[in-house]
Structures are given as structure tokens and as C-alpha cells.
Amino acid sequence: MGKSDDSIQRRKNKKTRKKQDDKVSNRIAGIIAAKKRRLSGKRRMCEGMCYSLPTPEDPFNERHGKVDLVTKKKKKQNLSKKGKNPIKKTSLPQNSDKLKEEFHMHAPSKFLILCLKTIQDGLQQDGAFNGGEEKPFFVHTWGIEFWKYFTSGKDIIGTNQAHATTEQIAWVAATTADAISRKEKEGLSISNPFLLFLVPSQEKAVKVRKICKPLKALGIHTVSLHPGASIDHQIQGLKNCEPEFLISTPERLQELLSHGAIKASDVSFLVIDGPLTETGYVDAVESIAKSISGKPQILAFSDCSNSSSNFLMKKSVGESICRIPLDDPVNGHNMA
């Protein structure tokens, strides 16, 4: 009985399907073979050379990178014998957290360093500071000494110099901004202005504000008051702003206080720049200092050995008075 064409075709199709089911691609076959060799612990010579290098124990790489289990067991036994006198694990003392806190207390915070860098970058952009020739503000010896005394709550009266330098003003601004940040983190209320910076002239007021201005990006606002601007304009500006830093000449500040445009009774940090030898300047500074309630921290850039600055001695806490000598990078750490 002859076979029809349909039956012949079905058988052919069945054979081809069976071949396709049994057939595996070369890539899959290689993967399967490599897996079998890996499980059996045997590799091709090329694979052994690729994954391991000759060692003094196996110079011809006959082990193909495999560890000798016998020697490993011997090493474990030797270690167990030596373990008769085990080494005690050292544990941190219980007061390690306190030590860490004390370490961070005796080092400037990251925010203070950021403030110094922000001020220096801002001055470099304005062309007022040449970063290629000058050192970074952070390595300023006077600033580090000032930060130590400020954080310990001491008053610095008498620096043996009449006017503050750019680096000193930057350190004063950065340290004050850091103090404000710390108080805000602790949830304490801060009265504005926090810093009152008294200067003898309009030119010095402009200079100090230019140094403090870059801190506006970090949330610290600065306002300068001097006779160069109309008093009405300054009164209107104080209504729309509550600055953290207030820079002013004593005469203009007295005028604004008499008009009730600003209150300086809650100032926490008083900085006095300029020589305390001129009678008019000393009298104005003294009246402003007396209007401040409480005992703010004081920094006076002047030689306070004369009698004209005795009011600062009375305003400050007697035992907390200290001196920082001239800004000398070699002898700046020695106290006068």
C-alpha cells in the first residue's frame, strides 16, 4: 500500500521538530560545559592561567589556583594551639561620646569654615582680595585665638591695635554667624541685631559691610548705618529688615535710637573698632554701651590701658577679660 504525500510530509516535519528540540546552540553548550568543569573542580589550562598566577608553592601552576586543603587545615590547627592565650578585644571607653563632644567643641565647626570660605570667595570676585598671594582666612592665627576666647565666653579688650584688618573682620563675622546658627539649632530665640559693630567713619562702615555681605547667601543679613545716607532712607530700610549684623557709626546710631527706629538693648556681641582716644568718639561709644541691657560679649580693637576705656571694663565681666596681641603669625599664640 503506497504512502500518500501528506503522510510523508508529516513524518518529515516530525523528524525536523525532534532535531530542533534536541539541538542546543554552541553558546549554551559552552556555558553548560564550563559549569560542569567548575563544579567538578577542573578547568582548561587557559582558564587556569587567566584566573591564577604561579606561586612559590606551585611554580608550574599545576593546581590551577586551588588552595591546598591540607596546608589550610594545618594552619587552622596551629592557630588553635596558639589560641591558648587569646588576645583580648579592646572596647571603647564608656565616655567615648563625651570625648567626641569635647573634641568637636575645641575645633571650629564646618559652618564657620564655610562662612570664612564664602567671605573669601566673595572678596576675590570683587577684586578686593588676591587669593593667589594671601593665605586662606582659616589659617589666620589671630582668628583661631579669637574663636577660642569667644566660644569660652570671654571679653577681648585691648588688642594693641586701633583698627581691625580684613581677616580679623572676616573671623568676627564668621564666628558670630556660627554662634547664631548654634543657638537656632538649640531652639533659642535670637534678638536682632545680634552683632553691633561700631566704626569711627563711613569708609570703615562700607568696608565692614562689604566683608560681611557674602554671608547673605547663608541667611545672615547686614545693614550699615552712616552719615553718607539720609536718615529717612535708613529708617524706612530698618522697617523692612531685621538684620543680624548692624554696622554703624556711633553718631548715626544715636540719632536712630532717639527716633526709635531701632533697638540695641538686646545686642549679644559688641565690637568696637577705632582708637578710644578721641573724646567725642569715646563718649558716643560709652552712651551706646550703657544703653545695652545685660552684659554682652565685647571685642575692642584698641589699647584699653588708658582711663578713657574704663567703662568697657565695668561693662564686661572682670574675670573674663583677655588680650590678643598684634596679628603676628609667629607670636600670635602668645598672650600679652
Side-chain angles (χ1 to χ4, degrees):
M1 182 176 178
K3 296 180 180 179
S4 63
D5 295 336
D6 294 337
S7 62
I8 295 171
Q9 188 65 33
R10 282 198 299 271
R11 289 186 180 182
K12 287 183 178 180
N13 293 339
K14 187 176 181 180
K15 289 181 180 180
T16 55
R17 283 197 303 270
K18 189 175 181 181
K19 288 181 180 180
Q20 288 178 358
D21 294 338
D22 296 339
K23 187 178 180 181
V24 179
S25 63
N26 295 331
R27 187 177 68 83
I28 301 299
I31 294 173
I32 294 172
K35 185 177 180 181
K36 288 180 179 180
R37 289 193 299 271
R38 187 170 64 253
L39 294 176
S40 62
K42 296 180 181 179
R43 290 183 178 178
R44 293 177 181 174
M45 184 61 70
C46 63
E47 290 178 348
M49 292 302 294
C50 291
Y51 287 94
S52 61
L53 295 172
T55 59
E57 292 80 10
D58 186 15
F60 299 102
N61 203 22
E62 295 175 351
R63 300 175 188 171
H64 303 294
K66 292 192 293 183
V67 181
D68 192 356
L69 298 177
V70 178
T71 57
K72 194 173 182 181
K73 289 180 180 179
K74 288 182 179 179
K75 288 181 180 180
K76 286 184 178 180
Q77 291 176 359
N78 294 332
L79 290 174
S80 62
K81 290 180 181 178
K82 291 180 181 179
K84 291 181 180 180
N85 297 323
I87 299 173
K88 294 182 180 180
K89 294 182 179 180
T90 57
S91 58
L92 292 174
Q94 294 180 355
N95 59 347
S96 59
D97 295 335
K98 294 182 180 179
L99 294 175
K100 289 180 181 179
E101 290 179 2
E102 291 179 359
F103 173 77
H104 290 295
M105 287 176 63
H106 294 287
S109 65
K110 293 181 180 179
F111 183 73
L112 190 149
I113 299 172
L114 176 62
C115 291
L116 288 173
K117 187 177 184 303
T118 302
I119 293 173
Q120 189 167 358
D121 292 344
L123 294 176
Q124 287 178 358
Q125 290 178 1
D126 295 339
F129 181 80
N130 189 357
E133 298 178 359
E134 301 291 339
K135 294 181 180 179
F137 287 166
F138 179 71
V139 298
H140 200 260
T141 308
W142 184 94
I144 297 173
E145 292 294 327
F146 161 73
W147 172 82
K148 290 179 181 178
Y149 293 124
F150 179 84
T151 53
S152 61
K154 293 183 178 181
D155 297 327
I156 304 168
I157 299 178
T159 57
N160 297 330
Q161 61 186 108
H163 298 281
T165 62
T166 301
E167 292 82 358
Q168 290 172 338
I169 297 171
W171 266 96
V172 170
T175 305
T176 309
D178 183 57
I180 294 173
S181 176
R182 289 177 183 272
K183 290 183 181 294
E184 289 178 347
K185 289 180 180 179
E186 294 173 0
L188 301 176
S189 60
I190 300 173
S191 59
N192 292 334
F194 186 89
L195 166 66
L196 176 58
F197 204 119
L198 297 178
V199 292
S201 62
Q202 174 184 343
E203 292 77 12
K204 193 58 180 286
V206 173
K207 178 183 177 181
V208 175
R209 185 183 181 277
K210 187 175 184 180
I211 296 172
C212 300
K213 187 177 179 181
L215 294 179
K216 184 178 180 181
L218 302 177
I220 303 297
H221 296 80
T222 305
V223 171
S224 61
L225 306 173
H226 50 77
S230 65
I231 190 169
D232 295 333
H233 175 73
Q234 292 176 350
I235 291 173
Q236 189 64 30
L238 290 171
K239 290 181 181 179
N240 301 327
C241 178
E242 293 184 357
E244 286 80 11
F245 293 176
L246 182 63
I247 305 161
S248 177
T249 58
E251 296 80 7
R252 178 48 60 93
L253 183 60
Q254 284 180 322
E255 293 179 12
L256 292 170
L257 290 173
S258 63
H259 285 81
I262 192 170
K263 293 181 180 180
S265 58
D266 297 330
V267 169
S268 300
F269 187 28
L270 174 62
V271 179
I272 302 171
D273 184 72
L276 292 174
T277 53
E278 299 178 2
T279 306
Y281 184 67
V282 174
D283 294 339
V285 171
E286 183 176 359
S287 63
I288 293 172
K290 288 180 178 178
S291 66
I292 301 174
S293 60
K295 290 187 178 295
Q297 282 189 258
I298 299 174
L299 168 63
F301 288 96
S302 178
D303 186 2
C304 295
S305 59
N306 53 13
S307 59
S308 63
S309 58
N310 289 334
F311 71 94
L312 292 177
M313 301 293 186
K314 296 177 182 178
K315 191 69 179 175
S316 63
V317 182
E319 295 181 356
S320 68
I321 297 174
C322 61
R323 289 173 178 264
I324 300 180
L326 288 172
D327 184 21
D328 187 352
V330 178
N331 300 320
H333 59 280
N334 296 326
M335 295 304 300

